[in-house]
PDB file of all heavy atoms in Angstrom:
ATOM      1  N   GLU A 212       3.960 -41.111-123.497  1.00  0.00           N
ATOM      2  CA  GLU A 212       4.997 -41.412-122.523  1.00  0.00           C
ATOM      3  C   GLU A 212       6.089 -42.313-123.088  1.00  0.00           C
ATOM      4  O   GLU A 212       7.051 -42.621-122.403  1.00  0.00           O
ATOM      5  CB  GLU A 212       4.387 -42.061-121.282  1.00  0.00           C
ATOM      6  CG  GLU A 212       3.570 -41.068-120.478  1.00  0.00           C
ATOM      7  CD  GLU A 212       2.898 -41.714-119.277  1.00  0.00           C
ATOM      8  OE1 GLU A 212       3.513 -42.576-118.644  1.00  0.00           O
ATOM      9  OE2 GLU A 212       1.748 -41.360-119.000  1.00  0.00           O
ATOM     10  N   TRP A 213       5.921 -42.762-124.330  1.00  0.00           N
ATOM     11  CA  TRP A 213       6.879 -43.726-124.883  1.00  0.00           C
ATOM     12  C   TRP A 213       7.479 -43.182-126.160  1.00  0.00           C
ATOM     13  O   TRP A 213       6.822 -42.484-126.926  1.00  0.00           O
ATOM     14  CB  TRP A 213       6.183 -45.068-125.137  1.00  0.00           C
ATOM     15  CG  TRP A 213       5.521 -45.539-123.883  1.00  0.00           C
ATOM     16  CD1 TRP A 213       4.203 -45.452-123.557  1.00  0.00           C
ATOM     17  CD2 TRP A 213       6.167 -46.099-122.747  1.00  0.00           C
ATOM     18  NE1 TRP A 213       3.988 -45.935-122.294  1.00  0.00           N
ATOM     19  CE2 TRP A 213       5.178 -46.340-121.773  1.00  0.00           C
ATOM     20  CE3 TRP A 213       7.487 -46.431-122.461  1.00  0.00           C
ATOM     21  CZ2 TRP A 213       5.461 -46.889-120.528  1.00  0.00           C
ATOM     22  CZ3 TRP A 213       7.763 -46.982-121.217  1.00  0.00           C
ATOM     23  CH2 TRP A 213       6.759 -47.205-120.273  1.00  0.00           C
ATOM     24  N   ASP A 214       8.745 -43.484-126.406  1.00  0.00           N
ATOM     25  CA  ASP A 214       9.344 -43.001-127.650  1.00  0.00           C
ATOM     26  C   ASP A 214       9.584 -44.121-128.663  1.00  0.00           C
ATOM     27  O   ASP A 214       9.756 -43.848-129.846  1.00  0.00           O
ATOM     28  CB  ASP A 214      10.628 -42.191-127.385  1.00  0.00           C
ATOM     29  CG  ASP A 214      11.643 -42.943-126.532  1.00  0.00           C
ATOM     30  OD1 ASP A 214      11.866 -44.137-126.781  1.00  0.00           O
ATOM     31  OD2 ASP A 214      12.219 -42.322-125.616  1.00  0.00           O
ATOM     32  N   THR A 215       9.621 -45.356-128.183  1.00  0.00           N
ATOM     33  CA  THR A 215       9.950 -46.451-129.097  1.00  0.00           C
ATOM     34  C   THR A 215       9.157 -47.700-128.738  1.00  0.00           C
ATOM     35  O   THR A 215       8.897 -47.961-127.563  1.00  0.00           O
ATOM     36  CB  THR A 215      11.464 -46.791-128.995  1.00  0.00           C
ATOM     37  OG1 THR A 215      12.221 -45.602-129.182  1.00  0.00           O
ATOM     38  CG2 THR A 215      11.877 -47.829-130.028  1.00  0.00           C
ATOM     39  N   ILE A 216       8.774 -48.438-129.762  1.00  0.00           N
ATOM     40  CA  ILE A 216       8.228 -49.778-129.524  1.00  0.00           C
ATOM     41  C   ILE A 216       9.159 -50.760-130.220  1.00  0.00           C
ATOM     42  O   ILE A 216       9.657 -50.496-131.316  1.00  0.00           O
ATOM     43  CB  ILE A 216       6.773 -49.898-130.024  1.00  0.00           C
ATOM     44  CG1 ILE A 216       6.247 -51.319-129.780  1.00  0.00           C
ATOM     45  CG2 ILE A 216       6.638 -49.524-131.498  1.00  0.00           C
ATOM     46  CD1 ILE A 216       4.740 -51.449-129.980  1.00  0.00           C
ATOM     47  N   ALA A 217       9.440 -51.867-129.562  1.00  0.00           N
ATOM     48  CA  ALA A 217      10.348 -52.853-130.155  1.00  0.00           C
ATOM     49  C   ALA A 217       9.879 -54.257-129.822  1.00  0.00           C
ATOM     50  O   ALA A 217       9.203 -54.477-128.812  1.00  0.00           O
ATOM     51  CB  ALA A 217      11.771 -52.637-129.624  1.00  0.00           C
ATOM     52  N   ILE A 218      10.214 -55.179-130.694  1.00  0.00           N
ATOM     53  CA  ILE A 218       9.943 -56.595-130.430  1.00  0.00           C
ATOM     54  C   ILE A 218      11.280 -57.325-130.445  1.00  0.00           C
ATOM     55  O   ILE A 218      12.085 -57.147-131.363  1.00  0.00           O
ATOM     56  CB  ILE A 218       9.001 -57.193-131.494  1.00  0.00           C
ATOM     57  CG1 ILE A 218       7.662 -56.437-131.495  1.00  0.00           C
ATOM     58  CG2 ILE A 218       8.777 -58.686-131.242  1.00  0.00           C
ATOM     59  CD1 ILE A 218       6.701 -56.896-132.582  1.00  0.00           C
ATOM     60  N   THR A 219      11.524 -58.089-129.411  1.00  0.00           N
ATOM     61  CA  THR A 219      12.756 -58.884-129.365  1.00  0.00           C
ATOM     62  C   THR A 219      12.399 -60.360-129.374  1.00  0.00           C
ATOM     63  O   THR A 219      11.275 -60.746-129.054  1.00  0.00           O
ATOM     64  CB  THR A 219      13.570 -58.608-128.082  1.00  0.00           C
ATOM     65  OG1 THR A 219      12.753 -58.934-126.948  1.00  0.00           O
ATOM     66  CG2 THR A 219      14.005 -57.159-128.002  1.00  0.00           C
ATOM     67  N   LEU A 220      13.378 -61.160-129.749  1.00  0.00           N
ATOM     68  CA  LEU A 220      13.228 -62.606-129.672  1.00  0.00           C
ATOM     69  C   LEU A 220      13.907 -63.037-128.376  1.00  0.00           C
ATOM     70  O   LEU A 220      15.131 -63.007-128.269  1.00  0.00           O
ATOM     71  CB  LEU A 220      13.895 -63.258-130.891  1.00  0.00           C
ATOM     72  CG  LEU A 220      13.850 -64.783-130.951  1.00  0.00           C
ATOM     73  CD1 LEU A 220      12.430 -65.300-130.785  1.00  0.00           C
ATOM     74  CD2 LEU A 220      14.418 -65.274-132.279  1.00  0.00           C
ATOM     75  N   GLU A 221      13.077 -63.384-127.387  1.00  0.00           N
ATOM     76  CA  GLU A 221      13.624 -63.704-126.069  1.00  0.00           C
ATOM     77  C   GLU A 221      13.795 -65.212-125.904  1.00  0.00           C
ATOM     78  O   GLU A 221      12.967 -65.995-126.380  1.00  0.00           O
ATOM     79  CB  GLU A 221      12.679 -63.185-124.972  1.00  0.00           C
ATOM     80  CG  GLU A 221      12.597 -61.686-124.888  1.00  0.00           C
ATOM     81  CD  GLU A 221      13.913 -61.046-124.508  1.00  0.00           C
ATOM     82  OE1 GLU A 221      14.490 -61.412-123.466  1.00  0.00           O
ATOM     83  OE2 GLU A 221      14.392 -60.179-125.279  1.00  0.00           O
ATOM     84  N   PRO A 222      14.851 -65.629-125.213  1.00  0.00           N
ATOM     85  CA  PRO A 222      15.065 -67.065-124.977  1.00  0.00           C
ATOM     86  C   PRO A 222      14.002 -67.684-124.069  1.00  0.00           C
ATOM     87  O   PRO A 222      13.795 -68.887-124.078  1.00  0.00           O
ATOM     88  CB  PRO A 222      16.441 -67.131-124.313  1.00  0.00           C
ATOM     89  CG  PRO A 222      16.700 -65.754-123.790  1.00  0.00           C
ATOM     90  CD  PRO A 222      15.961 -64.809-124.689  1.00  0.00           C
ATOM     91  N   LYS A 223      13.327 -66.841-123.267  1.00  0.00           N
ATOM     92  CA  LYS A 223      12.267 -67.381-122.412  1.00  0.00           C
ATOM     93  C   LYS A 223      11.227 -66.306-122.136  1.00  0.00           C
ATOM     94  O   LYS A 223      11.489 -65.120-122.340  1.00  0.00           O
ATOM     95  CB  LYS A 223      12.857 -67.911-121.092  1.00  0.00           C
ATOM     96  CG  LYS A 223      13.559 -66.853-120.282  1.00  0.00           C
ATOM     97  CD  LYS A 223      14.019 -67.447-118.963  1.00  0.00           C
ATOM     98  CE  LYS A 223      14.994 -66.574-118.197  1.00  0.00           C
ATOM     99  NZ  LYS A 223      14.807 -65.159-118.205  1.00  0.00           N
ATOM    100  N   THR A 224      10.088 -66.721-121.633  1.00  0.00           N
ATOM    101  CA  THR A 224       9.040 -65.760-121.311  1.00  0.00           C
ATOM    102  C   THR A 224       9.326 -65.060-119.996  1.00  0.00           C
ATOM    103  O   THR A 224      10.093 -65.557-119.171  1.00  0.00           O
ATOM    104  CB  THR A 224       7.667 -66.447-121.185  1.00  0.00           C
ATOM    105  OG1 THR A 224       7.786 -67.461-120.181  1.00  0.00           O
ATOM    106  CG2 THR A 224       7.222 -67.055-122.479  1.00  0.00           C
ATOM    107  N   GLY A 225       8.699 -63.931-119.820  1.00  0.00           N
ATOM    108  CA  GLY A 225       8.713 -63.259-118.516  1.00  0.00           C
ATOM    109  C   GLY A 225       9.947 -62.426-118.242  1.00  0.00           C
ATOM    110  O   GLY A 225      10.147 -61.997-117.119  1.00  0.00           O
ATOM    111  N   ASN A 226      10.794 -62.201-119.235  1.00  0.00           N
ATOM    112  CA  ASN A 226      11.963 -61.353-118.987  1.00  0.00           C
ATOM    113  C   ASN A 226      11.524 -59.926-118.691  1.00  0.00           C
ATOM    114  O   ASN A 226      10.677 -59.370-119.371  1.00  0.00           O
ATOM    115  CB  ASN A 226      12.887 -61.359-120.204  1.00  0.00           C
ATOM    116  CG  ASN A 226      13.841 -62.546-120.179  1.00  0.00           C
ATOM    117  OD1 ASN A 226      13.909 -63.271-119.191  1.00  0.00           O
ATOM    118  ND2 ASN A 226      14.558 -62.726-121.267  1.00  0.00           N
ATOM    119  N   GLU A 227      12.148 -59.360-117.658  1.00  0.00           N
ATOM    120  CA  GLU A 227      11.850 -57.980-117.303  1.00  0.00           C
ATOM    121  C   GLU A 227      12.649 -57.028-118.184  1.00  0.00           C
ATOM    122  O   GLU A 227      12.251 -55.900-118.433  1.00  0.00           O
ATOM    123  CB  GLU A 227      12.203 -57.758-115.830  1.00  0.00           C
ATOM    124  CG  GLU A 227      11.839 -56.386-115.324  1.00  0.00           C
ATOM    125  CD  GLU A 227      12.759 -55.935-114.212  1.00  0.00           C
ATOM    126  OE1 GLU A 227      13.671 -56.704-113.834  1.00  0.00           O
ATOM    127  OE2 GLU A 227      12.580 -54.816-113.740  1.00  0.00           O
ATOM    128  N   LEU A 228      13.810 -57.497-118.604  1.00  0.00           N
ATOM    129  CA  LEU A 228      14.660 -56.716-119.491  1.00  0.00           C
ATOM    130  C   LEU A 228      15.039 -57.586-120.678  1.00  0.00           C
ATOM    131  O   LEU A 228      15.161 -58.804-120.538  1.00  0.00           O
ATOM    132  CB  LEU A 228      15.935 -56.287-118.749  1.00  0.00           C
ATOM    133  CG  LEU A 228      15.724 -55.212-117.686  1.00  0.00           C
ATOM    134  CD1 LEU A 228      16.950 -55.057-116.833  1.00  0.00           C
ATOM    135  CD2 LEU A 228      15.341 -53.885-118.323  1.00  0.00           C
ATOM    136  N   PRO A 229      15.223 -56.944-121.856  1.00  0.00           N
ATOM    137  CA  PRO A 229      15.518 -57.758-123.033  1.00  0.00           C
ATOM    138  C   PRO A 229      16.855 -58.482-122.938  1.00  0.00           C
ATOM    139  O   PRO A 229      17.843 -57.918-122.508  1.00  0.00           O
ATOM    140  CB  PRO A 229      15.546 -56.721-124.160  1.00  0.00           C
ATOM    141  CG  PRO A 229      15.325 -55.390-123.567  1.00  0.00           C
ATOM    142  CD  PRO A 229      15.100 -55.518-122.119  1.00  0.00           C
ATOM    143  N   GLU A 230      16.848 -59.746-123.331  1.00  0.00           N
ATOM    144  CA  GLU A 230      18.087 -60.513-123.452  1.00  0.00           C
ATOM    145  C   GLU A 230      18.401 -60.734-124.923  1.00  0.00           C
ATOM    146  O   GLU A 230      19.544 -60.871-125.314  1.00  0.00           O
ATOM    147  CB  GLU A 230      17.935 -61.908-122.804  1.00  0.00           C
ATOM    148  CG  GLU A 230      18.173 -61.964-121.316  1.00  0.00           C
ATOM    149  CD  GLU A 230      17.973 -63.384-120.782  1.00  0.00           C
ATOM    150  OE1 GLU A 230      18.412 -64.345-121.457  1.00  0.00           O
ATOM    151  OE2 GLU A 230      17.351 -63.516-119.723  1.00  0.00           O
ATOM    152  N   GLY A 231      17.332 -60.844-125.704  1.00  0.00           N
ATOM    153  CA  GLY A 231      17.515 -61.240-127.104  1.00  0.00           C
ATOM    154  C   GLY A 231      17.665 -60.052-128.043  1.00  0.00           C
ATOM    155  O   GLY A 231      17.665 -58.892-127.635  1.00  0.00           O
ATOM    156  N   GLN A 232      17.795 -60.376-129.315  1.00  0.00           N
ATOM    157  CA  GLN A 232      17.940 -59.393-130.390  1.00  0.00           C
ATOM    158  C   GLN A 232      16.625 -58.665-130.669  1.00  0.00           C
ATOM    159  O   GLN A 232      15.566 -59.278-130.631  1.00  0.00           O
ATOM    160  CB  GLN A 232      18.306 -60.150-131.671  1.00  0.00           C
ATOM    161  CG  GLN A 232      19.765 -60.536-131.758  1.00  0.00           C
ATOM    162  CD  GLN A 232      20.595 -59.349-132.219  1.00  0.00           C
ATOM    163  OE1 GLN A 232      20.176 -58.601-133.075  1.00  0.00           O
ATOM    164  NE2 GLN A 232      21.762 -59.174-131.614  1.00  0.00           N
ATOM    165  N   ILE A 233      16.728 -57.390-130.997  1.00  0.00           N
ATOM    166  CA  ILE A 233      15.552 -56.686-131.518  1.00  0.00           C
ATOM    167  C   ILE A 233      15.309 -57.157-132.946  1.00  0.00           C
ATOM    168  O   ILE A 233      16.218 -57.158-133.773  1.00  0.00           O
ATOM    169  CB  ILE A 233      15.758 -55.164-131.505  1.00  0.00           C
ATOM    170  CG1 ILE A 233      15.797 -54.665-130.064  1.00  0.00           C
ATOM    171  CG2 ILE A 233      14.649 -54.465-132.288  1.00  0.00           C
ATOM    172  CD1 ILE A 233      15.893 -53.166-129.946  1.00  0.00           C
ATOM    173  N   VAL A 234      14.094 -57.592-133.228  1.00  0.00           N
ATOM    174  CA  VAL A 234      13.780 -58.029-134.595  1.00  0.00           C
ATOM    175  C   VAL A 234      12.906 -57.012-135.325  1.00  0.00           C
ATOM    176  O   VAL A 234      12.942 -56.935-136.547  1.00  0.00           O
ATOM    177  CB  VAL A 234      13.122 -59.425-134.595  1.00  0.00           C
ATOM    178  CG1 VAL A 234      14.117 -60.486-134.108  1.00  0.00           C
ATOM    179  CG2 VAL A 234      11.863 -59.464-133.764  1.00  0.00           C
ATOM    180  N   LEU A 235      12.108 -56.274-134.578  1.00  0.00           N
ATOM    181  CA  LEU A 235      11.234 -55.271-135.191  1.00  0.00           C
ATOM    182  C   LEU A 235      11.184 -54.065-134.265  1.00  0.00           C
ATOM    183  O   LEU A 235      11.178 -54.220-133.048  1.00  0.00           O
ATOM    184  CB  LEU A 235       9.815 -55.823-135.353  1.00  0.00           C
ATOM    185  CG  LEU A 235       9.602 -56.929-136.391  1.00  0.00           C
ATOM    186  CD1 LEU A 235       8.494 -57.863-135.961  1.00  0.00           C
ATOM    187  CD2 LEU A 235       9.297 -56.313-137.748  1.00  0.00           C
ATOM    188  N   SER A 236      11.127 -52.874-134.848  1.00  0.00           N
ATOM    189  CA  SER A 236      11.022 -51.705-133.978  1.00  0.00           C
ATOM    190  C   SER A 236      10.509 -50.500-134.763  1.00  0.00           C
ATOM    191  O   SER A 236      10.530 -50.487-135.985  1.00  0.00           O
ATOM    192  CB  SER A 236      12.388 -51.362-133.355  1.00  0.00           C
ATOM    193  OG  SER A 236      13.308 -51.043-134.370  1.00  0.00           O
ATOM    194  N   SER A 237      10.062 -49.510-134.005  1.00  0.00           N
ATOM    195  CA  SER A 237       9.656 -48.247-134.612  1.00  0.00           C
ATOM    196  C   SER A 237       9.646 -47.166-133.550  1.00  0.00           C
ATOM    197  O   SER A 237       9.472 -47.433-132.371  1.00  0.00           O
ATOM    198  CB  SER A 237       8.255 -48.381-135.214  1.00  0.00           C
ATOM    199  OG  SER A 237       7.797 -47.103-135.621  1.00  0.00           O
ATOM    200  N   GLU A 238       9.832 -45.941-134.006  1.00  0.00           N
ATOM    201  CA  GLU A 238       9.558 -44.820-133.109  1.00  0.00           C
ATOM    202  C   GLU A 238       8.062 -44.694-132.939  1.00  0.00           C
ATOM    203  O   GLU A 238       7.293 -45.131-133.809  1.00  0.00           O
ATOM    204  CB  GLU A 238      10.094 -43.516-133.710  1.00  0.00           C
ATOM    205  CG  GLU A 238      11.569 -43.346-133.530  1.00  0.00           C
ATOM    206  CD  GLU A 238      12.040 -42.022-134.094  1.00  0.00           C
ATOM    207  OE1 GLU A 238      11.199 -41.131-134.336  1.00  0.00           O
ATOM    208  OE2 GLU A 238      13.245 -41.887-134.309  1.00  0.00           O
ATOM    209  N   ILE A 239       7.672 -44.074-131.827  1.00  0.00           N
ATOM    210  CA  ILE A 239       6.242 -43.864-131.611  1.00  0.00           C
ATOM    211  C   ILE A 239       5.932 -42.396-131.850  1.00  0.00           C
ATOM    212  O   ILE A 239       6.631 -41.548-131.353  1.00  0.00           O
ATOM    213  CB  ILE A 239       5.839 -44.273-130.175  1.00  0.00           C
ATOM    214  CG1 ILE A 239       6.025 -45.764-130.000  1.00  0.00           C
ATOM    215  CG2 ILE A 239       4.398 -43.865-129.890  1.00  0.00           C
ATOM    216  CD1 ILE A 239       5.926 -46.233-128.570  1.00  0.00           C
TER     217      ILE A 239
END
Side-chain angles (χ1 to χ4, degrees):
Chain A
E212 290 177 38
W213 306 101
D214 53 44
T215 307
I216 179 168
I218 300 176
T219 59
L220 179 52
E221 292 296 305
K223 61 176 167 38
T224 57
N226 275 352
E227 184 209 359
L228 288 169
E230 276 179 41
Q232 280 279 321
I233 292 184
V234 294
L235 290 149
S236 62
S237 171
E238 281 182 16
I239 294 168

